[in-house]
Amino acid sequence: QVQLVESGGGLVQAGGSLRLSCAASGRTFSMYTLGWFRQAPGKEREFVATITRSLTFYADSVKGRFTVSRDNAKNTVYLQMNTLRPEDTAVYYCASSSTEYATAESLFHYWGQGTQVTVSS
């Protein structure tokens, strides 16, 4: 089992920045890929970014604005979000996968409880 706890969400104005953190515990050696997904009101959950070792993948909608990173010594993954837009408003979820280079939601078996990010215009 892997336990994931997100933090760092909040309310920010458009153009602002936030950094999300996700602390992992448990069978962390199985966390080959760590990822961020988000779900906006009335929409399905969608892929945001993932990281395997130092290789990163991003959704087109966040590319150039968001940066995912991980600190293996702290079992923590981060999502630095810059130039935020109102359409980034969503609950952001951290997830882990035992599959390298995973990006599909179905490959992520452990999820955090989510943290709310609200971007005002």
Side-chain angles (χ1 to χ4, degrees), residues 70-120:
R70 64 192 290 176
D71 185 333
N72 291 329
K74 296 182 178 179
N75 289 324
T76 300
V77 63
Y78 305 96
L79 185 67
Q80 178 67 43
M81 305 184 295
N82 299 328
T83 320
L84 282 161
R85 305 167 179 168
E87 54 264 39
D88 294 319
T89 295
V91 176
Y92 283 70
Y93 297 91
C94 171
S96 73
S97 172
S98 58
T99 301
E100 289 188 304
Y101 315 114
T103 57
E105 186 175 333
S106 61
L107 295 176
F108 289 80
H109 302 299
Y110 296 103
W111 294 81
Q113 81 288 353
T115 185
Q116 177 71 47
V117 171
T118 303
V119 184
S120 63

Side-chain angles (χ1 to χ4, degrees), residues 41-53:
K43 295 187 177 181
E44 293 187 353
R45 190 158 56 187
E46 64 177 6
F47 162 77
V48 174
T50 59
I51 183 167
T52 300
R53 298 191 181 92

